[in-house]
């Protein structure tokens, strides 16, 4: 299937740009998404299904795994509970999603009828959208949604359970986090903004647009404040899986970190493991 068969006709009139809303832009569009089974991919697909249901078709690139075809993997993806809100609000949009068997790791995505972006450099709008460290959602699809423990949340969860007592990082470090729903909103708007650029409409843009989605330095929160507030939340809402009270600290000094790790984390872990073994005969 040639998913770019009409790309040579993708032109925008300057007068139309002034009237076009984001909803108008995505109406009757054919959307091709790679990485749809990932964290951001799921959030992007969900937002498009729910907020822009007038798209024409959506193609999701998925590689076959073990005994599952791309179509079976797509169905498994859409059965995820994160799509329930979109299914309730826009059930018809799910009928327009199609799986394309391919692999991002292979040259040409392993799609038999692919076209290289370079072949359409004067007609195809190209955008590089770079984001900061993506964390859980604020509002959409649901508040606090996260489907993995990559990045800072793995560390925060471990600390909230009392497992991680120290880490080698300056408490004054300012990390640039951005919620996944803000990331998706920015991506959707950016695609519209690039095409709405008059230079693209006039086929005069030769360079690739690069956008950075992140907070400004003035709005960054130091790590010690995040840990302080996180510790308070963990104490107010303790997990039933907590093995020790959340405590400890991070430090940028390796000698201090090593001492804290040795006596405050490793020794504690060994002690807990011995106690559990004596009581249950099994390791912690």
């Amino acid at each position: 299937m040639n998913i770019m068969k009409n790309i040579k006709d993708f032109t925008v009139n300057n007068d139309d740009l002034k009237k076009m809303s984001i909803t108008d832009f995505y109406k009757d569009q054919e959307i091709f998404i790679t990485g749809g089974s990932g964290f951001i991919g799921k959030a992007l697909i969900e937002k498009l299904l729910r907020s822009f249901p007038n798209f024409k078709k959506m193609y999701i690139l998925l590689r076959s795994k073990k005994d599952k075809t791309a179509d079976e993997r797509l169905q498994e993806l859409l059965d995820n509970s994160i799509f329930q809100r979109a299914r309730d609000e826009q059930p018809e949009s799910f009928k327009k999603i199609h799986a394309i068997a391919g692999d991002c790791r292979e040259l040409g995505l392993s799609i038999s009828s692919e076209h290289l972006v370079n072949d359409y450099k004067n007609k195809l709008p190209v955008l590089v959208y770079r984001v900061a460290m993506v964390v859980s959602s604020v509002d959409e699809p649901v508040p606090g949604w996260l489907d993995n423990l990559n990045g800072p949340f793995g560390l925060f969860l471990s600390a909230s359970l009392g497992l991680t007592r120290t880490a080698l990082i300056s408490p004054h470090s300012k990390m640039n986090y951005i919620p996944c729903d803000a990331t998706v909103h920015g991506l959707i708007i950016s695609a519209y903004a690039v095409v709405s650029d008059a230079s693209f409409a006039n086929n005069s843009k030769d360079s690739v647009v690069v956008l950075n989605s992140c907070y400004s330095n003035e709005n960054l929160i130091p790590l010690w404040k995040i840990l302080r507030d996180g510790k308070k939340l963990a104490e107010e809402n303790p997990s039933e899986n907590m093995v020790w009270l959340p405590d400890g600290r991070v430090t940028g000094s390796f000698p201090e970190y090593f001492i804290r790790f040795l006596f405050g984390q490793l020794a504690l872990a060994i002690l807990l493991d011995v106690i559990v073994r004596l009581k249950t005969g099994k390791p912690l």
Side-chain angles (χ1 to χ4, degrees):
M1 179 180 295
N2 185 351
I3 60 174
M4 295 183 180
K5 60 184 178 181
N6 294 321
I7 197 65
K8 63 182 179 180
D9 299 321
F10 194 99
T11 57
V12 183
N13 184 281
N14 276 329
D15 293 332
D16 293 336
L17 290 176
K18 299 176 182 178
K19 306 174 185 177
M20 184 189 296
S21 67
I22 297 179
T23 303
D24 293 333
F25 170 68
Y26 283 98
K27 183 179 180 181
D28 295 328
Q29 293 283 13
E30 295 186 4
I31 305 171
F32 176 54
I33 297 177
T34 63
S37 61
F39 177 40
I40 301 300
K42 290 190 187 80
L44 174 62
I45 294 170
E46 194 278 339
K47 180 63 176 177
L48 290 171
L49 288 172
R50 180 166 48 83
S51 299
F52 303 93
N54 291 327
F55 64 86
K56 185 177 181 180
K57 291 181 181 179
M58 183 185 297
Y59 301 97
I60 312 296
L61 181 72
L62 293 167
R63 67 177 184 271
S64 300
K65 276 189 174 181
K66 298 180 180 178
D67 57 344
K68 293 183 179 179
T69 65
D71 287 324
E72 290 172 333
R73 289 198 63 207
L74 175 61
Q75 188 57 54
E76 184 179 66
L77 171 67
L78 297 179
D79 286 341
N80 192 300
S81 60
I82 203 61
F83 293 101
Q84 190 57 52
R85 179 181 173 186
R87 196 178 298 278
D88 292 339
E89 296 180 11
Q90 303 291 349
E92 294 299 313
S93 62
F94 283 79
K95 298 178 181 179
K96 297 182 285 186
I97 309 177
H98 306 275
I100 291 184
D103 193 337
C104 287
R105 300 173 300 180
E106 301 294 334
L107 182 64
L109 305 180
S110 290
I111 303 174
S112 59
S113 61
E114 83 283 351
H115 288 271
L116 299 178
V117 170
N118 189 55
D119 293 340
Y120 298 94
K121 60 184 178 182
N122 295 322
K123 298 183 177 67
L124 181 68
V126 178
L127 165 70
V128 176
Y129 184 75
R130 304 190 305 187
V131 298
M133 194 177 300
V134 182
V135 294
S136 59
S137 63
V138 174
D139 295 309
E140 298 180 304
V142 292
W145 177 68
L146 188 71
D147 77 340
N148 63 72
L149 294 177
N150 298 330
F153 270 87
L155 176 62
F156 294 159
L157 175 61
S158 179
S160 71
L161 298 178
L163 296 173
T164 298
R165 318 292 291 178
T166 187
L168 183 59
I169 183 172
S170 171
H172 302 289
S173 299
K174 294 183 178 181
M175 299 184 180
N176 210 315
Y177 303 131
I178 186 166
C180 75
D181 44 351
T183 300
V184 168
H185 294 172
L187 179 57
I188 291 173
I189 294 171
S190 296
Y192 160 77
V194 169
V195 175
S196 299
D197 190 332
S199 61
F200 170 72
N202 296 326
N203 291 326
S204 61
K205 184 178 288 296
D206 296 324
S207 60
V208 174
V209 176
V210 178
L211 298 179
N212 297 304
S213 177
C214 57
Y215 285 106
S216 65
N217 290 334
E218 290 76 13
N219 294 323
L220 298 182
I221 303 174
L223 182 59
W224 69 266
K225 285 188 177 182
I226 297 176
L227 296 177
R228 179 198 63 189
D229 295 343
K231 179 181 177 182
K232 182 179 179 181
L233 287 172
E235 291 174 348
E236 294 175 350
N237 305 276
S239 169
E240 61 181 13
N241 296 317
M242 184 183 293
V243 298
W244 203 267
L245 290 176
D247 201 359
R249 57 177 290 181
V250 297
T251 176
S253 168
F254 181 78
E256 180 182 354
Y257 160 75
F258 183 76
I259 293 173
R260 287 183 173 276
F261 174 78
L262 191 63
F263 296 103
Q265 185 163 316
L266 182 60
L268 176 61
I270 294 174
L271 175 62
L272 289 175
D273 193 61
V274 169
I275 293 174
V276 172
R277 281 177 180 270
L278 291 175
K279 287 188 174 183
T280 66
K282 298 179 180 180
L284 180 64

